[in-house]
Amino acid sequence: MKSKPSQEELEALKFGMSIYAPICLYLILKELSFYKISKTLIPADAEIKGEIKKLYGVPFGEWPPHIKEDWYKLSESLPLEQIKKISAEVHYFLIYSMGALSSKYLEEEGQTMVLDFLYDIFNDRDLWNPEDPTEDCFSKYRKSPNTFTTLIDNLGSVIAERDPLLTTSLAIDIAGIPKFFLAPAVDKIFAAK
């Protein structure tokens, strides 16, 4: 176990978060758009799900133009304040996930460095609301007896929809990212040395 992460490791963790945050936001916006059209949960069809799966591990700048255009269009379908809240919640969850996944490689001082480095993303005051990051943004996940239900509740609050099928569907899509994508990436980052 290392006491501190290297600068390269910190940058790699932040890069991983920057890859998956837009994908999470896109998943949420896509499901919300289907839901708002029908007012019932309509799972995205296989073609759309397949297209989204191709984005995993791809930086936003390298997404196909038609998907980026769809992402921007969907982003404009909600008020800016709501988009900021949804995006902040996605970042909170990814920071929690990255911190938790990194903890098996780092002592307490190193874990604190990881969290401080990742929370630095909220320093751009033009992008985030003044209250971000909220004081409890990390502890609400860390202290939760069930991270999945906490994610469901938090997503329901920020998207302003309480349909349990919708919020559970969204949480399933997002909760799988740490397990299937971030965990192998974090293992690779810390095993590289």
Side-chain angles (χ1 to χ4, degrees):
M1 192 175 273
K2 297 173 66 168
S3 61
K4 296 180 183 179
S6 69
Q7 188 64 30
E8 294 81 23
E9 290 166 337
L10 290 171
E11 292 290 347
L13 291 171
K14 192 178 218 177
F15 180 70
M17 200 174 71
S18 73
I19 286 177
Y20 287 99
I23 294 171
C24 290
L25 183 59
Y26 188 56
L27 285 164
I28 292 169
L29 293 173
K30 203 70 169 165
E31 290 288 335
L32 267 178
S33 71
F34 284 122
Y35 179 81
K36 287 182 184 246
I37 289 169
S38 68
K39 275 300 181 194
T40 58
L41 182 65
I42 300 176
D45 66 26
E47 184 180 328
I48 290 169
K49 287 285 189 182
E51 207 161 69
I52 290 173
K53 283 182 182 176
K54 292 177 190 173
L55 302 177
Y56 290 109
V58 178
F60 183 76
E62 296 175 20
W63 286 13
H66 71 284
I67 296 179
K68 272 201 277 194
E69 185 178 316
D70 190 38
W71 188 90
Y72 285 122
K73 189 177 3 166
L74 289 169
S75 297
E76 293 169 357
S77 69
L78 294 176
L80 180 60
E81 289 307 307
Q82 190 176 13
I83 290 290
K84 285 182 175 185
K85 286 180 181 177
I86 294 169
S87 188
E89 193 59 45
V90 163
H91 280 82
Y92 297 159
F93 180 72
L94 291 176
I95 289 170
Y96 163 77
S97 299
M98 287 289 212
L101 292 167
S102 300
S103 68
K104 68 181 179 182
Y105 295 101
L106 300 168
E107 293 174 6
E108 192 172 329
E109 180 185 4
Q111 293 171 30
T112 302
M113 285 178 66
V114 166
L115 293 176
D116 289 345
F117 192 80
L118 295 178
Y119 275 114
D120 188 55
I121 194 167
F122 290 104
N123 285 341
D124 185 351
R125 288 292 116 207
D126 293 332
L127 186 60
W128 301 101
N129 288 329
E131 69 271 10
D132 290 321
T134 61
E135 198 170 308
D136 71 336
C137 60
F138 182 76
S139 62
K140 67 184 172 186
Y141 286 110
R142 187 174 48 94
K143 293 179 180 176
S144 170
N146 187 324
T147 306
F148 185 72
T149 57
T150 301
L151 180 60
I152 290 171
D153 291 343
N154 294 339
L155 287 175
S157 293
V158 297
I159 66 172
E161 293 286 350
R162 289 296 181 182
D163 183 331
L165 290 175
L166 174 64
T167 54
T168 302
S169 174
L170 291 172
I172 288 169
D173 286 341
I174 293 170
I177 288 174
K179 180 176 182 171
F180 298 110
F181 299 100
L182 296 182
V186 169
D187 290 343
K188 191 174 179 181
I189 289 166
F190 286 103
K193 298 260 171 173

PDB file of all heavy atoms in Angstrom, residues 123-155:
ATOM      1  N   ASN A 123     -13.809  23.760  -8.870  1.00  0.00           N
ATOM      2  CA  ASN A 123     -13.242  25.103  -8.727  1.00  0.00           C
ATOM      3  C   ASN A 123     -13.620  26.048  -9.860  1.00  0.00           C
ATOM      4  O   ASN A 123     -13.442  27.251  -9.739  1.00  0.00           O
ATOM      5  CB  ASN A 123     -11.715  25.044  -8.590  1.00  0.00           C
ATOM      6  CG  ASN A 123     -11.305  24.572  -7.212  1.00  0.00           C
ATOM      7  OD1 ASN A 123     -12.080  24.616  -6.279  1.00  0.00           O
ATOM      8  ND2 ASN A 123     -10.085  24.089  -7.103  1.00  0.00           N
ATOM      9  N   ASP A 124     -14.134  25.514 -10.969  1.00  0.00           N
ATOM     10  CA  ASP A 124     -14.544  26.360 -12.087  1.00  0.00           C
ATOM     11  C   ASP A 124     -15.899  26.984 -11.762  1.00  0.00           C
ATOM     12  O   ASP A 124     -16.944  26.393 -11.987  1.00  0.00           O
ATOM     13  CB  ASP A 124     -14.619  25.536 -13.373  1.00  0.00           C
ATOM     14  CG  ASP A 124     -14.932  26.376 -14.593  1.00  0.00           C
ATOM     15  OD1 ASP A 124     -15.267  27.573 -14.443  1.00  0.00           O
ATOM     16  OD2 ASP A 124     -14.854  25.836 -15.711  1.00  0.00           O
ATOM     17  N   ARG A 125     -15.876  28.192 -11.230  1.00  0.00           N
ATOM     18  CA  ARG A 125     -17.105  28.850 -10.769  1.00  0.00           C
ATOM     19  C   ARG A 125     -18.035  29.231 -11.910  1.00  0.00           C
ATOM     20  O   ARG A 125     -19.218  29.485 -11.690  1.00  0.00           O
ATOM     21  CB  ARG A 125     -16.768  30.098  -9.936  1.00  0.00           C
ATOM     22  CG  ARG A 125     -16.201  29.771  -8.593  1.00  0.00           C
ATOM     23  CD  ARG A 125     -17.237  29.122  -7.674  1.00  0.00           C
ATOM     24  NE  ARG A 125     -16.881  27.773  -7.310  1.00  0.00           N
ATOM     25  CZ  ARG A 125     -17.732  26.816  -6.993  1.00  0.00           C
ATOM     26  NH1 ARG A 125     -19.013  27.010  -7.027  1.00  0.00           N
ATOM     27  NH2 ARG A 125     -17.337  25.619  -6.655  1.00  0.00           N
ATOM     28  N   ASP A 126     -17.537  29.274 -13.145  1.00  0.00           N
ATOM     29  CA  ASP A 126     -18.414  29.563 -14.282  1.00  0.00           C
ATOM     30  C   ASP A 126     -19.281  28.360 -14.635  1.00  0.00           C
ATOM     31  O   ASP A 126     -20.334  28.500 -15.245  1.00  0.00           O
ATOM     32  CB  ASP A 126     -17.594  29.964 -15.513  1.00  0.00           C
ATOM     33  CG  ASP A 126     -16.899  31.297 -15.321  1.00  0.00           C
ATOM     34  OD1 ASP A 126     -17.409  32.131 -14.549  1.00  0.00           O
ATOM     35  OD2 ASP A 126     -15.841  31.497 -15.938  1.00  0.00           O
ATOM     36  N   LEU A 127     -18.827  27.179 -14.247  1.00  0.00           N
ATOM     37  CA  LEU A 127     -19.500  25.942 -14.631  1.00  0.00           C
ATOM     38  C   LEU A 127     -20.453  25.426 -13.560  1.00  0.00           C
ATOM     39  O   LEU A 127     -21.490  24.857 -13.867  1.00  0.00           O
ATOM     40  CB  LEU A 127     -18.440  24.882 -14.947  1.00  0.00           C
ATOM     41  CG  LEU A 127     -18.898  23.553 -15.509  1.00  0.00           C
ATOM     42  CD1 LEU A 127     -19.635  23.755 -16.825  1.00  0.00           C
ATOM     43  CD2 LEU A 127     -17.707  22.634 -15.706  1.00  0.00           C
ATOM     44  N   TRP A 128     -20.099  25.633 -12.283  1.00  0.00           N
ATOM     45  CA  TRP A 128     -20.843  25.004 -11.199  1.00  0.00           C
ATOM     46  C   TRP A 128     -21.625  26.016 -10.380  1.00  0.00           C
ATOM     47  O   TRP A 128     -21.305  27.198 -10.356  1.00  0.00           O
ATOM     48  CB  TRP A 128     -19.879  24.243 -10.280  1.00  0.00           C
ATOM     49  CG  TRP A 128     -19.132  23.190 -11.011  1.00  0.00           C
ATOM     50  CD1 TRP A 128     -17.851  23.264 -11.466  1.00  0.00           C
ATOM     51  CD2 TRP A 128     -19.622  21.913 -11.430  1.00  0.00           C
ATOM     52  NE1 TRP A 128     -17.505  22.115 -12.117  1.00  0.00           N
ATOM     53  CE2 TRP A 128     -18.574  21.257 -12.115  1.00  0.00           C
ATOM     54  CE3 TRP A 128     -20.836  21.244 -11.278  1.00  0.00           C
ATOM     55  CZ2 TRP A 128     -18.718  19.984 -12.651  1.00  0.00           C
ATOM     56  CZ3 TRP A 128     -20.973  19.977 -11.819  1.00  0.00           C
ATOM     57  CH2 TRP A 128     -19.924  19.363 -12.493  1.00  0.00           C
ATOM     58  N   ASN A 129     -22.631  25.530  -9.685  1.00  0.00           N
ATOM     59  CA  ASN A 129     -23.387  26.365  -8.750  1.00  0.00           C
ATOM     60  C   ASN A 129     -22.498  26.699  -7.555  1.00  0.00           C
ATOM     61  O   ASN A 129     -21.591  25.937  -7.221  1.00  0.00           O
ATOM     62  CB  ASN A 129     -24.640  25.627  -8.279  1.00  0.00           C
ATOM     63  CG  ASN A 129     -25.688  25.539  -9.366  1.00  0.00           C
ATOM     64  OD1 ASN A 129     -25.802  26.416 -10.208  1.00  0.00           O
ATOM     65  ND2 ASN A 129     -26.450  24.461  -9.357  1.00  0.00           N
ATOM     66  N   PRO A 130     -22.765  27.827  -6.887  1.00  0.00           N
ATOM     67  CA  PRO A 130     -21.908  28.239  -5.761  1.00  0.00           C
ATOM     68  C   PRO A 130     -21.830  27.205  -4.632  1.00  0.00           C
ATOM     69  O   PRO A 130     -20.823  27.104  -3.953  1.00  0.00           O
ATOM     70  CB  PRO A 130     -22.559  29.527  -5.261  1.00  0.00           C
ATOM     71  CG  PRO A 130     -23.405  30.005  -6.378  1.00  0.00           C
ATOM     72  CD  PRO A 130     -23.795  28.802  -7.184  1.00  0.00           C
ATOM     73  N   GLU A 131     -22.891  26.420  -4.441  1.00  0.00           N
ATOM     74  CA  GLU A 131     -22.893  25.452  -3.341  1.00  0.00           C
ATOM     75  C   GLU A 131     -22.155  24.152  -3.663  1.00  0.00           C
ATOM     76  O   GLU A 131     -21.966  23.309  -2.787  1.00  0.00           O
ATOM     77  CB  GLU A 131     -24.333  25.126  -2.898  1.00  0.00           C
ATOM     78  CG  GLU A 131     -25.132  24.337  -3.902  1.00  0.00           C
ATOM     79  CD  GLU A 131     -25.886  25.191  -4.920  1.00  0.00           C
ATOM     80  OE1 GLU A 131     -25.664  26.406  -5.001  1.00  0.00           O
ATOM     81  OE2 GLU A 131     -26.693  24.616  -5.651  1.00  0.00           O
ATOM     82  N   ASP A 132     -21.742  23.982  -4.900  1.00  0.00           N
ATOM     83  CA  ASP A 132     -21.031  22.752  -5.282  1.00  0.00           C
ATOM     84  C   ASP A 132     -19.549  22.867  -4.997  1.00  0.00           C
ATOM     85  O   ASP A 132     -18.943  23.869  -5.335  1.00  0.00           O
ATOM     86  CB  ASP A 132     -21.240  22.449  -6.773  1.00  0.00           C
ATOM     87  CG  ASP A 132     -22.659  22.028  -7.080  1.00  0.00           C
ATOM     88  OD1 ASP A 132     -23.226  21.283  -6.262  1.00  0.00           O
ATOM     89  OD2 ASP A 132     -23.193  22.453  -8.110  1.00  0.00           O
ATOM     90  N   PRO A 133     -18.942  21.881  -4.410  1.00  0.00           N
ATOM     91  CA  PRO A 133     -19.573  20.660  -3.917  1.00  0.00           C
ATOM     92  C   PRO A 133     -20.250  20.903  -2.575  1.00  0.00           C
ATOM     93  O   PRO A 133     -19.732  21.644  -1.750  1.00  0.00           O
ATOM     94  CB  PRO A 133     -18.399  19.695  -3.768  1.00  0.00           C
ATOM     95  CG  PRO A 133     -17.219  20.563  -3.493  1.00  0.00           C
ATOM     96  CD  PRO A 133     -17.468  21.853  -4.231  1.00  0.00           C
ATOM     97  N   THR A 134     -21.392  20.267  -2.380  1.00  0.00           N
ATOM     98  CA  THR A 134     -22.083  20.412  -1.107  1.00  0.00           C
ATOM     99  C   THR A 134     -21.275  19.737  -0.006  1.00  0.00           C
ATOM    100  O   THR A 134     -20.455  18.865  -0.277  1.00  0.00           O
ATOM    101  CB  THR A 134     -23.501  19.804  -1.163  1.00  0.00           C
ATOM    102  OG1 THR A 134     -23.381  18.406  -1.446  1.00  0.00           O
ATOM    103  CG2 THR A 134     -24.348  20.480  -2.218  1.00  0.00           C
ATOM    104  N   GLU A 135     -21.539  20.142   1.206  1.00  0.00           N
ATOM    105  CA  GLU A 135     -20.748  19.662   2.338  1.00  0.00           C
ATOM    106  C   GLU A 135     -20.876  18.154   2.553  1.00  0.00           C
ATOM    107  O   GLU A 135     -19.932  17.491   2.948  1.00  0.00           O
ATOM    108  CB  GLU A 135     -21.191  20.403   3.606  1.00  0.00           C
ATOM    109  CG  GLU A 135     -20.189  20.308   4.731  1.00  0.00           C
ATOM    110  CD  GLU A 135     -20.549  21.238   5.869  1.00  0.00           C
ATOM    111  OE1 GLU A 135     -20.770  22.434   5.610  1.00  0.00           O
ATOM    112  OE2 GLU A 135     -20.611  20.748   7.001  1.00  0.00           O
ATOM    113  N   ASP A 136     -22.055  17.608   2.244  1.00  0.00           N
ATOM    114  CA  ASP A 136     -22.282  16.185   2.509  1.00  0.00           C
ATOM    115  C   ASP A 136     -22.150  15.307   1.268  1.00  0.00           C
ATOM    116  O   ASP A 136     -22.476  14.129   1.297  1.00  0.00           O
ATOM    117  CB  ASP A 136     -23.664  15.984   3.124  1.00  0.00           C
ATOM    118  CG  ASP A 136     -24.787  16.220   2.118  1.00  0.00           C
ATOM    119  OD1 ASP A 136     -24.568  16.954   1.127  1.00  0.00           O
ATOM    120  OD2 ASP A 136     -25.875  15.668   2.319  1.00  0.00           O
ATOM    121  N   CYS A 137     -21.662  15.872   0.159  1.00  0.00           N
ATOM    122  CA  CYS A 137     -21.682  15.149  -1.113  1.00  0.00           C
ATOM    123  C   CYS A 137     -20.930  13.817  -1.065  1.00  0.00           C
ATOM    124  O   CYS A 137     -21.330  12.858  -1.695  1.00  0.00           O
ATOM    125  CB  CYS A 137     -21.190  16.019  -2.254  1.00  0.00           C
ATOM    126  SG  CYS A 137     -19.524  16.613  -2.078  1.00  0.00           S
ATOM    127  N   PHE A 138     -19.843  13.747  -0.311  1.00  0.00           N
ATOM    128  CA  PHE A 138     -19.099  12.491  -0.211  1.00  0.00           C
ATOM    129  C   PHE A 138     -19.670  11.607   0.889  1.00  0.00           C
ATOM    130  O   PHE A 138     -19.905  10.419   0.689  1.00  0.00           O
ATOM    131  CB  PHE A 138     -17.615  12.758   0.051  1.00  0.00           C
ATOM    132  CG  PHE A 138     -16.787  11.506   0.113  1.00  0.00           C
ATOM    133  CD1 PHE A 138     -16.451  10.836  -1.038  1.00  0.00           C
ATOM    134  CD2 PHE A 138     -16.360  10.988   1.325  1.00  0.00           C
ATOM    135  CE1 PHE A 138     -15.695   9.670  -1.003  1.00  0.00           C
ATOM    136  CE2 PHE A 138     -15.607   9.831   1.384  1.00  0.00           C
ATOM    137  CZ  PHE A 138     -15.266   9.172   0.211  1.00  0.00           C
ATOM    138  N   SER A 139     -19.951  12.212   2.028  1.00  0.00           N
ATOM    139  CA  SER A 139     -20.379  11.416   3.180  1.00  0.00           C
ATOM    140  C   SER A 139     -21.746  10.774   2.976  1.00  0.00           C
ATOM    141  O   SER A 139     -22.020   9.720   3.533  1.00  0.00           O
ATOM    142  CB  SER A 139     -20.364  12.254   4.457  1.00  0.00           C
ATOM    143  OG  SER A 139     -21.260  13.319   4.358  1.00  0.00           O
ATOM    144  N   LYS A 140     -22.612  11.377   2.146  1.00  0.00           N
ATOM    145  CA  LYS A 140     -23.926  10.763   1.942  1.00  0.00           C
ATOM    146  C   LYS A 140     -23.791   9.395   1.276  1.00  0.00           C
ATOM    147  O   LYS A 140     -24.600   8.507   1.521  1.00  0.00           O
ATOM    148  CB  LYS A 140     -24.865  11.674   1.163  1.00  0.00           C
ATOM    149  CG  LYS A 140     -24.473  11.935  -0.273  1.00  0.00           C
ATOM    150  CD  LYS A 140     -25.438  12.927  -0.906  1.00  0.00           C
ATOM    151  CE  LYS A 140     -24.948  13.356  -2.266  1.00  0.00           C
ATOM    152  NZ  LYS A 140     -25.786  14.400  -2.832  1.00  0.00           N
ATOM    153  N   TYR A 141     -22.768   9.225   0.449  1.00  0.00           N
ATOM    154  CA  TYR A 141     -22.526   7.903  -0.139  1.00  0.00           C
ATOM    155  C   TYR A 141     -21.703   7.023   0.806  1.00  0.00           C
ATOM    156  O   TYR A 141     -21.990   5.848   0.983  1.00  0.00           O
ATOM    157  CB  TYR A 141     -21.814   8.031  -1.487  1.00  0.00           C
ATOM    158  CG  TYR A 141     -22.723   8.514  -2.582  1.00  0.00           C
ATOM    159  CD1 TYR A 141     -22.589   9.783  -3.122  1.00  0.00           C
ATOM    160  CD2 TYR A 141     -23.728   7.708  -3.078  1.00  0.00           C
ATOM    161  CE1 TYR A 141     -23.432  10.233  -4.124  1.00  0.00           C
ATOM    162  CE2 TYR A 141     -24.585   8.145  -4.078  1.00  0.00           C
ATOM    163  CZ  TYR A 141     -24.433   9.409  -4.604  1.00  0.00           C
ATOM    164  OH  TYR A 141     -25.280   9.844  -5.585  1.00  0.00           O
ATOM    165  N   ARG A 142     -20.671   7.589   1.404  1.00  0.00           N
ATOM    166  CA  ARG A 142     -19.790   6.804   2.272  1.00  0.00           C
ATOM    167  C   ARG A 142     -20.534   6.260   3.480  1.00  0.00           C
ATOM    168  O   ARG A 142     -20.313   5.116   3.884  1.00  0.00           O
ATOM    169  CB  ARG A 142     -18.604   7.654   2.725  1.00  0.00           C
ATOM    170  CG  ARG A 142     -17.540   6.876   3.485  1.00  0.00           C
ATOM    171  CD  ARG A 142     -16.329   7.720   3.776  1.00  0.00           C
ATOM    172  NE  ARG A 142     -16.638   9.014   4.328  1.00  0.00           N
ATOM    173  CZ  ARG A 142     -16.676   9.298   5.629  1.00  0.00           C
ATOM    174  NH1 ARG A 142     -16.415   8.382   6.516  1.00  0.00           N
ATOM    175  NH2 ARG A 142     -16.950  10.515   6.035  1.00  0.00           N
ATOM    176  N   LYS A 143     -21.427   7.042   4.054  1.00  0.00           N
ATOM    177  CA  LYS A 143     -22.145   6.621   5.257  1.00  0.00           C
ATOM    178  C   LYS A 143     -23.417   5.832   4.944  1.00  0.00           C
ATOM    179  O   LYS A 143     -24.068   5.335   5.854  1.00  0.00           O
ATOM    180  CB  LYS A 143     -22.501   7.845   6.100  1.00  0.00           C
ATOM    181  CG  LYS A 143     -21.290   8.530   6.695  1.00  0.00           C
ATOM    182  CD  LYS A 143     -21.691   9.743   7.485  1.00  0.00           C
ATOM    183  CE  LYS A 143     -20.465  10.428   8.078  1.00  0.00           C
ATOM    184  NZ  LYS A 143     -20.810  11.658   8.776  1.00  0.00           N
ATOM    185  N   SER A 144     -23.749   5.734   3.690  1.00  0.00           N
ATOM    186  CA  SER A 144     -24.984   5.047   3.315  1.00  0.00           C
ATOM    187  C   SER A 144     -24.865   3.541   3.518  1.00  0.00           C
ATOM    188  O   SER A 144     -23.871   2.932   3.132  1.00  0.00           O
ATOM    189  CB  SER A 144     -25.281   5.333   1.836  1.00  0.00           C
ATOM    190  OG  SER A 144     -26.326   4.511   1.391  1.00  0.00           O
ATOM    191  N   PRO A 145     -25.893   2.924   4.099  1.00  0.00           N
ATOM    192  CA  PRO A 145     -25.864   1.468   4.220  1.00  0.00           C
ATOM    193  C   PRO A 145     -26.043   0.783   2.862  1.00  0.00           C
ATOM    194  O   PRO A 145     -25.672  -0.371   2.678  1.00  0.00           O
ATOM    195  CB  PRO A 145     -27.037   1.150   5.154  1.00  0.00           C
ATOM    196  CG  PRO A 145     -27.928   2.340   5.116  1.00  0.00           C
ATOM    197  CD  PRO A 145     -27.064   3.513   4.731  1.00  0.00           C
ATOM    198  N   ASN A 146     -26.627   1.519   1.902  1.00  0.00           N
ATOM    199  CA  ASN A 146     -26.830   0.964   0.561  1.00  0.00           C
ATOM    200  C   ASN A 146     -26.613   2.079  -0.460  1.00  0.00           C
ATOM    201  O   ASN A 146     -27.494   2.904  -0.696  1.00  0.00           O
ATOM    202  CB  ASN A 146     -28.240   0.381   0.441  1.00  0.00           C
ATOM    203  CG  ASN A 146     -28.452  -0.346  -0.863  1.00  0.00           C
ATOM    204  OD1 ASN A 146     -27.940   0.042  -1.902  1.00  0.00           O
ATOM    205  ND2 ASN A 146     -29.235  -1.413  -0.804  1.00  0.00           N
ATOM    206  N   THR A 147     -25.443   2.088  -1.051  1.00  0.00           N
ATOM    207  CA  THR A 147     -25.080   3.142  -2.005  1.00  0.00           C
ATOM    208  C   THR A 147     -26.058   3.209  -3.174  1.00  0.00           C
ATOM    209  O   THR A 147     -26.378   4.284  -3.666  1.00  0.00           O
ATOM    210  CB  THR A 147     -23.654   2.900  -2.536  1.00  0.00           C
ATOM    211  OG1 THR A 147     -22.787   2.771  -1.435  1.00  0.00           O
ATOM    212  CG2 THR A 147     -23.178   4.035  -3.408  1.00  0.00           C
ATOM    213  N   PHE A 148     -26.555   2.062  -3.613  1.00  0.00           N
ATOM    214  CA  PHE A 148     -27.461   2.013  -4.750  1.00  0.00           C
ATOM    215  C   PHE A 148     -28.764   2.762  -4.448  1.00  0.00           C
ATOM    216  O   PHE A 148     -29.219   3.567  -5.263  1.00  0.00           O
ATOM    217  CB  PHE A 148     -27.743   0.557  -5.135  1.00  0.00           C
ATOM    218  CG  PHE A 148     -28.582   0.416  -6.371  1.00  0.00           C
ATOM    219  CD1 PHE A 148     -28.051   0.699  -7.623  1.00  0.00           C
ATOM    220  CD2 PHE A 148     -29.896   0.008  -6.283  1.00  0.00           C
ATOM    221  CE1 PHE A 148     -28.817   0.572  -8.768  1.00  0.00           C
ATOM    222  CE2 PHE A 148     -30.670  -0.125  -7.424  1.00  0.00           C
ATOM    223  CZ  PHE A 148     -30.134   0.160  -8.663  1.00  0.00           C
ATOM    224  N   THR A 149     -29.362   2.519  -3.286  1.00  0.00           N
ATOM    225  CA  THR A 149     -30.604   3.223  -2.967  1.00  0.00           C
ATOM    226  C   THR A 149     -30.354   4.713  -2.740  1.00  0.00           C
ATOM    227  O   THR A 149     -31.210   5.536  -3.069  1.00  0.00           O
ATOM    228  CB  THR A 149     -31.323   2.601  -1.743  1.00  0.00           C
ATOM    229  OG1 THR A 149     -30.431   2.601  -0.629  1.00  0.00           O
ATOM    230  CG2 THR A 149     -31.806   1.199  -2.033  1.00  0.00           C
ATOM    231  N   THR A 150     -29.196   5.048  -2.215  1.00  0.00           N
ATOM    232  CA  THR A 150     -28.845   6.464  -2.065  1.00  0.00           C
ATOM    233  C   THR A 150     -28.743   7.124  -3.438  1.00  0.00           C
ATOM    234  O   THR A 150     -29.237   8.237  -3.634  1.00  0.00           O
ATOM    235  CB  THR A 150     -27.528   6.617  -1.280  1.00  0.00           C
ATOM    236  OG1 THR A 150     -27.694   6.019   0.003  1.00  0.00           O
ATOM    237  CG2 THR A 150     -27.130   8.079  -1.129  1.00  0.00           C
ATOM    238  N   LEU A 151     -28.124   6.434  -4.388  1.00  0.00           N
ATOM    239  CA  LEU A 151     -28.035   6.957  -5.756  1.00  0.00           C
ATOM    240  C   LEU A 151     -29.432   7.132  -6.351  1.00  0.00           C
ATOM    241  O   LEU A 151     -29.718   8.155  -6.978  1.00  0.00           O
ATOM    242  CB  LEU A 151     -27.184   6.030  -6.628  1.00  0.00           C
ATOM    243  CG  LEU A 151     -26.995   6.429  -8.086  1.00  0.00           C
ATOM    244  CD1 LEU A 151     -26.317   7.790  -8.210  1.00  0.00           C
ATOM    245  CD2 LEU A 151     -26.191   5.371  -8.832  1.00  0.00           C
ATOM    246  N   ILE A 152     -30.313   6.154  -6.148  1.00  0.00           N
ATOM    247  CA  ILE A 152     -31.692   6.269  -6.644  1.00  0.00           C
ATOM    248  C   ILE A 152     -32.366   7.506  -6.059  1.00  0.00           C
ATOM    249  O   ILE A 152     -32.967   8.305  -6.785  1.00  0.00           O
ATOM    250  CB  ILE A 152     -32.512   4.997  -6.292  1.00  0.00           C
ATOM    251  CG1 ILE A 152     -32.029   3.807  -7.120  1.00  0.00           C
ATOM    252  CG2 ILE A 152     -34.007   5.228  -6.522  1.00  0.00           C
ATOM    253  CD1 ILE A 152     -32.622   2.471  -6.694  1.00  0.00           C
ATOM    254  N   ASP A 153     -32.262   7.685  -4.742  1.00  0.00           N
ATOM    255  CA  ASP A 153     -32.892   8.838  -4.085  1.00  0.00           C
ATOM    256  C   ASP A 153     -32.313  10.152  -4.591  1.00  0.00           C
ATOM    257  O   ASP A 153     -33.053  11.107  -4.871  1.00  0.00           O
ATOM    258  CB  ASP A 153     -32.708   8.763  -2.565  1.00  0.00           C
ATOM    259  CG  ASP A 153     -33.497   7.624  -1.935  1.00  0.00           C
ATOM    260  OD1 ASP A 153     -34.432   7.099  -2.587  1.00  0.00           O
ATOM    261  OD2 ASP A 153     -33.169   7.245  -0.793  1.00  0.00           O
ATOM    262  N   ASN A 154     -31.002  10.218  -4.712  1.00  0.00           N
ATOM    263  CA  ASN A 154     -30.356  11.455  -5.153  1.00  0.00           C
ATOM    264  C   ASN A 154     -30.703  11.783  -6.601  1.00  0.00           C
ATOM    265  O   ASN A 154     -30.934  12.947  -6.934  1.00  0.00           O
ATOM    266  CB  ASN A 154     -28.844  11.368  -4.966  1.00  0.00           C
ATOM    267  CG  ASN A 154     -28.457  11.289  -3.511  1.00  0.00           C
ATOM    268  OD1 ASN A 154     -29.211  11.666  -2.630  1.00  0.00           O
ATOM    269  ND2 ASN A 154     -27.272  10.782  -3.241  1.00  0.00           N
ATOM    270  N   LEU A 155     -30.735  10.771  -7.455  1.00  0.00           N
ATOM    271  CA  LEU A 155     -31.119  11.015  -8.853  1.00  0.00           C
ATOM    272  C   LEU A 155     -32.565  11.483  -8.937  1.00  0.00           C
ATOM    273  O   LEU A 155     -32.883  12.400  -9.695  1.00  0.00           O
ATOM    274  CB  LEU A 155     -30.916   9.763  -9.703  1.00  0.00           C
ATOM    275  CG  LEU A 155     -29.481   9.397 -10.034  1.00  0.00           C
ATOM    276  CD1 LEU A 155     -29.426   8.062 -10.777  1.00  0.00           C
ATOM    277  CD2 LEU A 155     -28.809  10.478 -10.863  1.00  0.00           C
TER     278      LEU A 155
END
